[in-house]
């Protein structure tokens, strides 16, 4: 297939989007949920939250696993693996491509995830410590490596160009998409299905809780940038994008949702960094992404931001964005609908950006009623806004990992 | 294309701390296996692994040493040996790519042992400070004052070769001036049990390619390489251990634990690495095999080597250093990349130890027992992870 490095600035476009979200299944369903402003937040029912610091989240309830994945083959795998396989299947279908060959040989999969299958790992650890090793079942640890979901998916769909899992906190799927663009530009894959997956679990709740990030009220909702925001509400899901070369997409008459025009990613996980320093770094990432795309801040009409209701991060990110775009760009924070979905944030936000480009609508930010002045945010979409955007920024922020940014345009 | 070279190396394994200590031990064919001190193994068939016995930590006293500590120890050695003065580079142009299979689990396991009846008991502020896995990279990046891209690669046994590949691309794109490539993992009861119950573990020693090989032994440690552009390295008079000529990635698309029976993904990854490096198979002088010593891997790997290197495969020197340091999981391909650089520097290939009986189905020169002086210009480092996640890197002498 490949005869050595082919460096190029091939334009890379998105031709398919697979969505498994707390407020919708499937790209079309997600589009509707964005238009309607449908919240995916509810009381968690899938596991017992009595030992957890929160009982509310963007939980995917009544996930139609059998309908999407079929009746067999998924018995031994956990939530994240099912979500990821479902979103990959939906992305392939949405791209107008067929599973099997020749797709498999030419296509890679790169998934970003923050915790990966850690909940399956710790379940296995607990079984080990409570049972005699000889009494464990052979399949007990089956889905229990951090990257098991991506591995399973690559085997299930026979995706053979490459398989990679990236774990950079909230920027995991942003970094995964960036990786995918690189793979295509260097000729290592003809196509890559890239994005992320995150499951909701006691492990997630406990970790965010111990790190002081969670909103703990039983009726908490994510209210990005709101004066009364009290911490994040977690969510789950998987968003996967089918990425391929512009010229090939054009040649096969594929629908193009948009182009990845530029990107950047930097470490912003210094525990010792001050808020000012963090703000400076977020601004730096945005600046680098704009430069990479060859556009000016004034060319950006919409920002699909990382706003997740966290007390510090919303303020820092908000001020960084405001510093660049002032009141010129319109901001929307879709984690208000999904909750903080960790490693799949970038892919979700990119999907929202592509929705905006295609539909000419900026979706509403839910639950936020009074924007905190300290965030510096000037224009937050509180209802859907009709707008034909030229370029859209999707930024993911994590002050224990990376901040990363994608610039999306119409192809 | 920018030439990318290796200017610093760091190692910590069951053979000891430091590249020199490790290399000396490898040349002597030492076996680093020992009894596992971290948890009670009385209920298991296997009691040995490759554990790090000299335990360094700049953050905690043992036994709370974590993958971050292994990575930091090796990284500090690599930076010191590279002579790279990070303060002379723009901070956002130095990055880190860290590969790990399991991240940190020992903290969780230790806490959960106190009250195993509910898995939430394993959670503590200590564990939450190193979870999710990207926090481990964050600790290392902060300690080393890294401000550029920081990537955490979780690709099981191929994690560090993926991290190296990603670092290579960042350097090619000119987004960074230096990358610290690391792989780190610790022996955990969870990982140990997983392989134990798959019946993949050898009880005694690792015997890659041997007819009577029983399986792998879990290992731990870290390997670190400093990568930078050749022009920058030679301008500052740095010692150059090797050049990263290219790499291959592939995915078997076959089975979650077993390799493709004809080694399809392994063949593809080696061919892609050769194409990427612009080399023909006959130009490879030495292969550092994935060589876990499981019946399945070694057979599939030998088959793949035979397919790629044809008749020459039988004479091509191929060794598995896992025979000496065990299978260090996500750290293995970093450690083995360091070994490749040391081999090129010294023009000596490390041995496969514990090799007693050739397997009639495996016709390879495994460099049995003793290290061997070999003229080497190009060497290949293979890693084949579960699920057919394959990543191979080619290093060349400069």
């Amino acid at each position: 297939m490949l005869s050595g490095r082919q460096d190029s600035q091939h334009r890379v476009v998105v031709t398919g989007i697979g969505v498994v979200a707390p407020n919708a299944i499937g790209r079309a369903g997600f589009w509707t949920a964005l238009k309607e402003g449908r919240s995916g937040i509810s009381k968690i029912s899938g596991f017992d939250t009595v030992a957890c610091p929160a009982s509310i989240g963007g939980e995917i309830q009544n996930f139609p696993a059998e309908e999407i994945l079929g009746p067999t083959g998924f018995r031994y795998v956990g939530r994240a693996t099912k979500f990821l396989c479902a979103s990959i299947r939906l992305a392939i279908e949405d791209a107008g491509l067929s599973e099997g060959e020749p797709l498999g040989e030419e296509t890679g999969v790169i998934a970003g995830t923050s915790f990966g299958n850690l909940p399956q790992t710790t379940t296995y650890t607990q079984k080990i410590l409570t049972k005699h090793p000889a009494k464990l079942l052979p399949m007990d640890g089956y889905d229990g490596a951090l990257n098991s979901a991506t591995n399973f998916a690559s085997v299930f769909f026979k995706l053979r160009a490459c398989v990679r899992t990236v774990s950079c906190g909230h920027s995991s799927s942003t970094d995964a998409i960036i990786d995918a663009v690189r793979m295509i530009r260097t000729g290592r894959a003809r196509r890559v299905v890239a994005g992320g997956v995150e499951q909701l679990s006691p492990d997630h709740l406990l970790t965010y809780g111990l790190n002081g990030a969670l909103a703990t009220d039983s009726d908490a909702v994510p209210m990005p940038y709101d004066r009364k925001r009290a911490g994040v509400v977690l969510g789950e899901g998987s968003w996967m994008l089918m990425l391929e070369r512009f010229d090939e997409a054009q040649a096969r008459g594929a629908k193009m949702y948009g182009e990845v025009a530029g990107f950047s990613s930097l470490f912003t996980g210094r525990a010792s960094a001050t808020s000012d320093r963090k703000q400076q770094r977020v601004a730096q990432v945005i600046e680098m992404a704009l430069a990479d795309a060859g556009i000016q801040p004034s060319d950006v009409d919409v920002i699909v931001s990382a706003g997740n209701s966290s007390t510090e991060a919303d303020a820092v990110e908000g001020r960084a964005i405001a510093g660049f775009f002032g009141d010129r760009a319109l901001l929307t924070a879709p984690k208000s609908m999904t909750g903080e979905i960790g490693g799949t944030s970038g892919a979700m936000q990119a999907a929202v950006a592509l929705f905006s480009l295609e539909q000419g609508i900026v979706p509403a930010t839910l639950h936020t009623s009074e924007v905190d002045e300290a965030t510096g945010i000037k224009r937050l979409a509180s209802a859907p806004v009709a707008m034909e955007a030229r370029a859209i920024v999707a930024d993911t922020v994590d002050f224990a990992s990376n901040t990363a940014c994608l610039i999306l345009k119409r192809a | 294309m920018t030439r990318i070279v290796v200017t610093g190396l760091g190692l910590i394994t069951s053979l000891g701390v430091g590249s020199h200590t490790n290399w000396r031990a490898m040349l002597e064919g030492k076996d680093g296996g020992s009894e596992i001190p971290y948890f009670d193994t009385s209920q298991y068939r296997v009691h040995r692994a490759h554990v790090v016995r000299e335990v360094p930590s700049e953050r905690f006293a043992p036994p709370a040493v974590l993958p971050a500590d292994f990575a930091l120890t090796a990284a500090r050695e690599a930076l010191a040996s590279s002579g790279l003065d990070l303060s002379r580079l723009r901070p956002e142009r130095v990055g880190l790519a860290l590969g790990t299979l399991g991240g940190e689990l020992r903290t969780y396991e230790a806490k959960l042992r106190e009250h195993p009846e509910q898995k939430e008991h394993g959670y503590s502020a200590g564990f939450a400070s190193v979870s999710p896995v990207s926090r481990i990279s964050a600790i290392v990046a902060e300690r080393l004052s890294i401000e550029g891209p920081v990537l955490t690669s979780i690709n099981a046994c191929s994690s560090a070769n993926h991290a190296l590949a990603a670092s290579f691309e960042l350097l090619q794109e000119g987004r960074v001036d230096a990358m610290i490539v690391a792989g780190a993992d610790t022996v955990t009861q969870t990982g140990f049990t997983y392989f134990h119950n798959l019946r993949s573990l050898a009880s005694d020693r690792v015997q890659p390619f041997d007819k009577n090989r029983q399986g792998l032994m879990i290992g731990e440690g870290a390997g670190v390489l400093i990568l930078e552009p050749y022009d920058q390295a030679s301008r500052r008079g740095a010692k150059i251990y090797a050049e990263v000529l290219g790499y291959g990635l592939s995915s078997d698309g076959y089975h979650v634990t077993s390799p493709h029976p004809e080694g399809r993904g392994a063949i593809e990854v080696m061919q892609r690495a050769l194409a990427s490096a612009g080399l023909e198979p006959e130009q490879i002088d030495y292969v550092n095999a994935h060589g876990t010593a499981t019946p399945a891997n070694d057979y599939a790997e030998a088959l793949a080597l035979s397919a790629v290197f044809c008749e020459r495969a039988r004479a091509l020197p191929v060794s598995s250093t896992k025979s000496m340091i065990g299978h260090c999981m996500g750290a293995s391909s970093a450690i083995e990349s360091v070994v490749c650089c040391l081999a090129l520097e010294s023009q000596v290939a490390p041995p496969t130890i514990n090799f007693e009986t050739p397997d009639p189905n495996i016709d390879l020169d495994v460099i049995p027992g003793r290290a061997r002086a070999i003229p080497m210009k190009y060497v290949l480092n293979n890693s084949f992870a579960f699920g057919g996640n394959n990543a191979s890197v080619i290093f060349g002498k400069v």
Side-chain angles (χ1 to χ4, degrees), chain A residues 182-245:
Chain A
R182 286 202 174 102
M183 290 280 180
I184 293 168
R185 284 186 178 157
T186 56
R188 287 184 181 272
R190 196 161 170 202
R191 261 168 247 108
V192 181
V193 58
V197 63
E198 202 71 53
Q199 58 187 307
L200 189 56
S201 75
D203 303 73
H204 288 72
L205 293 170
L206 286 159
T207 304
Y208 276 84
L210 286 162
N211 287 321
L214 271 188
T216 51
D217 270 357
S218 59
D219 55 2
V221 285
M223 41 174 64
Y225 314 109
D226 194 291
R227 219 168 44 81
K228 294 212 227 32
R229 68 192 188 278
V232 308
V233 172
L234 297 183
E236 62 182 358
S238 178
W239 282 255
M240 292 295 275
L241 311 180
M242 179 61 75
L243 294 157
E244 56 188 297
R245 277 167 46 170

Side-chain angles (χ1 to χ4, degrees), chain B residues 258-272:
Chain B
S258 310
H260 189 273
E262 287 148 32
R264 176 180 68 186
I267 294 169
E268 279 170 355
V269 80
M270 289 191 270
Q271 288 174 335
R272 289 174 190 176

Side-chain angles (χ1 to χ4, degrees), chain A residues 1-5 7 51 113-115 118-119 121-126 128-130 132-133 136 141-142 146-147 151-152 154-155 158-169 175 182-183 186 188 202-203 206-207 210-211 263-267 269-272 277 281 284 292 400-402, chain B residues 1 43-44 92 101-102 105 108-109 112-113 116-120 123-124 128 131-135 138 141-142 145-156 162 165-166 168-170 172-173 175 189-190 193-194 197 247-256 264 268 272 275-276 386-387 389:
Chain A
M1 179 179 81
L2 307 168
S3 59
R5 190 186 181 80
D7 253 316
T113 181
S114 188
F115 287 72
L118 183 67
T121 317
T122 54
T123 295
Y124 183 53
T125 305
Q126 200 230 345
I128 290 167
L129 297 182
T130 50
H132 190 288
L136 293 166
Y142 183 79
L146 294 179
N147 67 323
N151 267 5
F152 184 91
S154 77
V155 170
K158 302 193 182 331
L159 297 168
R160 293 175 29 219
C162 63
V163 52
R164 179 179 281 182
T165 310
V166 170
S167 188
C168 306
D175 284 327
R182 286 202 174 102
M183 290 280 180
T186 56
R188 287 184 181 272
D203 303 73
L206 286 159
T207 304
L210 286 162
N211 287 321
F263 52 79
S264 66
S265 175
L266 290 181
F267 177 60
R270 281 186 90 123
S272 57
R277 177 71 181 132
R281 298 279 292 162
Q284 193 174 14
D292 192 54
S401 180
N402 297 341
Chain B
M1 232 180 87
Q43 292 190 320
Y44 295 90
E92 71 277 8
L101 181 152
L105 257 191
Y108 176 78
E109 289 177 345
L112 188 58
R113 275 188 199 104
E117 63 278 7
Q118 195 181 21
K119 62 180 264 193
E120 287 83 356
Y123 272 86
S124 62
S131 185
V133 68
S134 48
R135 284 181 179 263
E142 177 150 18
S145 301
I146 305 269
E147 302 264 352
V150 172
L151 305 174
T152 308
S153 157
I154 49 172
N155 291 282
H162 271 276
F168 181 87
E169 295 303 340
L170 282 168
Q172 285 297 336
E173 274 179 30
R175 283 184 198 253
Q189 186 168 2
T190 305
T193 307
Y194 174 74
N197 283 12
Y247 67 90
L249 301 174
S250 79
S251 161
D252 279 15
Y254 176 73
H255 190 273
V256 166
R264 176 180 68 186
E268 279 170 355
R272 289 174 190 176
S276 161
F386 268 16
N389 183 336

